[in-house]
Each structure stands twice: as C-alpha cells, then as structure tokens.
C-alpha cells in the first residue's frame, strides 16, 4: 500500500511539473519537421493522442473521436494531433493506415520515442488535452467506450 501511494505521488508530481508541452522536434507523415511546443501557440485547444497501428484500443478511440471531431472543431477550434509510436518498418505503415480510415488528424511520427519519454507516456492509447493557453489540462491512459464525452468537457 505504501509503495502504491509513493508511485501515485510521484506520478502526480511529474504531471504537475509538466504543465506545458516539451521542446521536441518530430516529423509529420509528409516529412515536415514540427516542433511540439508550437502546437499549443494557436490560441486554440489541442488534443494529442499517442497510438500505434497495431493497437486496437487506439484505433477504437481514434474512430470514436473522428465521429465528433468536426463538431468539436466548429465548437472550440480544436486541433487533433495523433502521434505514432510505431518503430522501424512499422512506421512506414502509418500514412496508408491513417489514409485508409480517412482521418483528418495531424499525424506526427515518434519512432525514437522522444516525445513519448518527454511526456512520460508509458502505455497507449494515451491522450492529452491542452487548453487555449498551452497548459495540459487533462490526460488519460487507455480507452473505454464513451470516454470521448469526458474529453469534450475539457475542450470547453
């Protein structure tokens, strides 16, 4: 029990310490360099979701959000960035994978897990909501059906 309390305390303190996005450069699926700190400078909320092409809960979450994404964009101006954690040969599958679903998300590649480490992501799917001021206001690990309603509340 004591170990659990220590782990929770450490996790909570690391989350509060990381109130903003880390300074990490990634490539998008078209090969363009993107600095992650710039994502939150638009004055609009941002969603960042870590996923992999082989992760079934990730796909379910991204499909569920896709059904509401246009509505969320209209209501809040939110931009969605999905960060692929696929490595090696699997990273070449990301563009056709995303195109196959017709998702209108910004797609970033993190094959060396730089952003994943910087944001203390241990398991996927892992989703963050960043408010219009650039502060991380919500993060969630895993996916359960209907979880997207909670995300919407943080976007507002």
């Amino acid at each position: 029990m004591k170990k659990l309390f220590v782990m929770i305390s450490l996790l909570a303190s690391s989350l509060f310490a990381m109130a903003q996005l880390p300074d990490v450069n990634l490539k998008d699926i078209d090969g363009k360099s993107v600095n992650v700190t710039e994502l939150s400078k638009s004055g609009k909320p941002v969603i960042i979701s870590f996923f992999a092409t082989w992760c079934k809960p990730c796909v379910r979450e991204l499909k569920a959000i896709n059904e509401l994404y246009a509505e969320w964009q209209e209501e809040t101006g939110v931009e969605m960035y999905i960060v692929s954690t696929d490595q090696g040969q699997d990273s070449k599958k990301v563009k056709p994978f995303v195109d196959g679903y017709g998702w209108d998300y910004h797609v970033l590649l993190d094959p060396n897990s730089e952003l994943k480490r910087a944001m203390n992501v241990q398991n996927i799917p892992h989703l963050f909501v960043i408010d219009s001021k650039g502060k991380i206001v919500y993060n969630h690990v895993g996916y359960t059906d209907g979880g997207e309603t909670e995300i919407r509340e943080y976007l507002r």
Side-chain angles (χ1 to χ4, degrees):
M1 187 68 161
K2 190 174 184 178
K3 284 183 182 181
L4 179 62
F5 178 77
V6 170
M7 286 176 45
I8 290 171
S9 297
L10 287 173
L11 178 61
S13 64
S14 68
L15 292 175
F16 289 116
M18 186 193 67
Q20 295 188 330
L21 294 174
D23 187 11
V24 173
N25 287 307
L26 298 178
K27 299 261 188 222
D28 68 11
I29 56 172
D30 297 319
K32 180 183 167 197
S33 185
V34 176
N35 185 290
V36 175
T37 59
E38 297 296 315
L39 302 182
S40 65
K41 293 187 178 176
S42 68
K44 298 177 181 177
V46 174
I47 297 172
I48 297 176
S49 181
F50 287 83
F51 81 103
T53 56
W54 49 263
C55 172
K56 291 187 187 320
C58 299
V59 173
R60 285 192 0 248
E61 177 179 67
L62 294 173
K63 281 181 174 180
I65 290 172
N66 190 58
E67 291 178 17
L68 302 167
Y69 186 50
E71 186 179 319
W72 291 356
Q73 281 187 303
E74 188 175 310
E75 184 180 338
T76 67
V78 67
E79 290 295 323
M80 176 90 171
Y81 291 85
I82 60 175
V83 180
S84 169
T85 60
D86 289 282
Q87 298 176 351
Q89 291 296 96
D90 286 343
S91 64
K92 293 178 182 177
K93 298 176 184 176
V94 176
K95 184 171 175 41
F97 177 83
V98 171
D99 289 348
Y101 282 105
W103 292 331
D104 192 26
Y105 304 139
H106 303 282
V107 183
L108 302 175
L109 305 174
D110 192 19
N112 298 321
S113 300
E114 285 180 75
L115 184 59
K116 187 178 173 187
R117 279 191 304 277
M119 294 186 74
N120 198 28
V121 172
Q122 303 296 317
N123 297 305
I124 55 173
H126 194 139
L127 182 137
F128 295 86
V129 175
I130 296 88
D131 71 9
S132 59
K133 296 177 181 125
K135 301 284 186 208
I136 297 171
V137 295
Y138 175 76
N139 83 70
H140 183 78
V141 179
Y143 175 71
T144 54
D145 292 331
E148 54 280 359
T149 55
E150 190 172 356
I151 296 166
R152 180 182 221 149
E153 294 304 314
Y154 284 93
L155 291 175
R156 291 181 178 156

